Amino acid sequence: MYSAVITLQGGTAVPYFLDEDNAWQIKISDLESSISEYKQKGIKPKLLVVINPGNPTGQIFSDKTIQEFIKFAHKHNLTIIADEVYQQNIFKKGAEFHSFRKVVTHMPEPYNKVQILSLNSISKGYTGDCGFRGGYVEAVNVDKKVWEELTKIKDVFNLPTIGGIALDLAVNPPKKGREADETVEQFEKEKQDILSSLKRRAEMCTDYLNKMDNLKSNPVDGAMYAFPQIFFGKGALKEAERRQVHPELMYCMEALEKLSLIHI
């Protein structure tokens, strides 16, 4: 989505990569390498997009890692877009979601002045209904003119009525002392039932992927995704060479032709 929007606006995406061998965590040195490479080409990055918990890798960044992101953004004068739509989906035992807003407000100057746009959505989490088409952005440390532009966008793209109701309930859920105890208890039960079900399915997905031949997957710590690695045997590699196609393309085409599976 982000790369498509960047292309639509005539911009250039600067990719950075996560470390699969370290549970899809980030190496700041890799960030430095990516931005240096593109700066040498005359490109001046403006935004740093961080998805936490991760899509499609399912990782959860620690408080310390988020601080490193913020320091990196300050060093290179970048605004951070913190895509935090999966913040309710935390499956790893002992893991905790840390919002960029919370972390930046507890950092010393000058890092606590880094501009952050934090995104959340009712299409994910425990509501998980894309049909509601609802979400919000929280702007931290942004210029007044940015606020004005965000307001213009909001006025143009209004929520559907049902989406607005669902979003209001998500940010302002039932509370004891305000709503009936039965309402609060039912809400919490349904919420926890959904999150527990998602956790079971994440564990099942990891388990089954790692039981399959020529597949390896890190545990799904959060979000709703597994990002397995596929290994090709010698026979498959020789066949791809014979056909003069890339092994991954051959795999995707055979999955489509024989199993009607589309890989994106």
Side-chain angles (χ1 to χ4, degrees):
M1 179 183 71
Y2 293 105
S3 57
V5 172
I6 291 169
T7 301
L8 184 64
Q9 297 299 321
T12 300
V14 179
Y16 65 90
F17 299 94
L18 304 180
D19 184 1
E20 182 178 6
D21 293 331
N22 188 28
W24 297 115
Q25 295 298 303
I26 186 68
K27 292 180 180 177
I28 298 301
S29 59
D30 289 343
L31 278 178
E32 292 286 358
S33 296
S34 291
I35 199 168
S36 295
E37 176 187 347
Y38 279 78
K39 281 186 173 180
Q40 290 173 7
K41 298 177 182 178
I43 295 169
K44 298 179 180 179
K46 299 294 183 182
L47 297 168
L48 172 62
V49 176
V50 182
I51 306 175
N52 180 49
N55 173 5
T57 46
Q59 89 292 333
I60 302 168
F61 290 130
S62 66
D63 181 293
K64 181 180 178 182
T65 299
I66 293 174
Q67 289 188 47
E68 293 299 318
F69 273 119
I70 292 170
K71 290 177 181 178
F72 175 83
H74 174 267
K75 177 181 177 181
H76 296 282
N77 194 28
L78 303 172
T79 295
I80 295 175
I81 295 181
D83 186 331
E84 300 175 328
V85 301
Y86 298 102
Q87 58 187 264
Q88 298 280 350
N89 306 110
I90 306 296
F91 308 132
K92 183 180 180 180
K93 186 176 180 179
E96 182 181 354
F97 168 74
H98 299 278
S99 72
F100 270 79
R101 179 188 181 279
K102 181 179 180 180
V103 174
V104 78
T105 55
H106 287 86
M107 293 181 72
E109 291 190 7
Y111 307 117
N112 62 354
K113 303 300 182 184
V114 169
Q115 295 185 98
I116 294 174
L117 299 172
S118 176
L119 311 182
N120 202 356
S121 168
I122 53 173
S123 297
K124 315 299 179 184
Y126 58 88
T127 47
D129 191 333
C130 294
F132 285 142
R133 315 308 299 170
Y136 65 83
V137 55
E138 181 178 13
V140 181
N141 295 328
V142 302
D143 188 89
K144 181 180 178 181
K145 291 183 179 180
V146 176
W147 273 110
E148 292 173 354
E149 293 303 316
L150 288 173
T151 301
K152 292 178 184 177
I153 294 173
K154 181 189 73 66
D155 290 341
V156 172
F157 299 101
N158 286 322
L159 276 174
T161 302
I162 295 177
I165 295 171
L167 182 59
D168 182 67
L169 289 171
V171 299
N172 190 23
K175 296 179 181 179
K176 285 191 175 182
R178 188 181 64 189
E179 280 80 31
D181 289 351
E182 293 85 353
T183 300
V184 178
E185 290 168 5
Q186 181 178 348
F187 171 80
E188 288 297 331
K189 180 181 183 305
E190 292 181 4
K191 173 183 174 182
Q192 291 306 318
D193 285 348
I194 292 170
L195 292 174
S196 295
S197 176
L198 290 170
K199 183 177 186 295
R200 287 195 302 272
R201 280 179 273 179
E203 292 170 348
M204 185 186 302
C205 183
T206 301
D207 183 47
Y208 276 93
L209 283 172
N210 285 313
K211 287 180 178 178
M212 296 175 68
D213 294 336
N214 300 324
L215 280 177
K216 183 182 76 171
S217 175
N218 281 331
V220 182
D221 293 339
M224 297 179 179
Y225 307 96
F227 200 60
Q229 184 176 171
I230 300 173
F231 299 91
F232 296 105
K234 292 181 179 179
L237 294 174
K238 287 183 178 179
E239 179 62 17
E241 183 178 2
R242 185 187 70 81
R243 298 185 191 182
Q244 297 184 334
V245 298
H246 195 283
E248 292 180 2
L249 176 60
M250 184 182 74
Y251 176 86
C252 291
M253 292 304 298
E254 290 205 1
L256 175 62
E257 293 168 358
K258 296 180 179 181
L259 302 174
S260 298
L261 292 177
I262 297 177
H263 292 75
I264 299 176

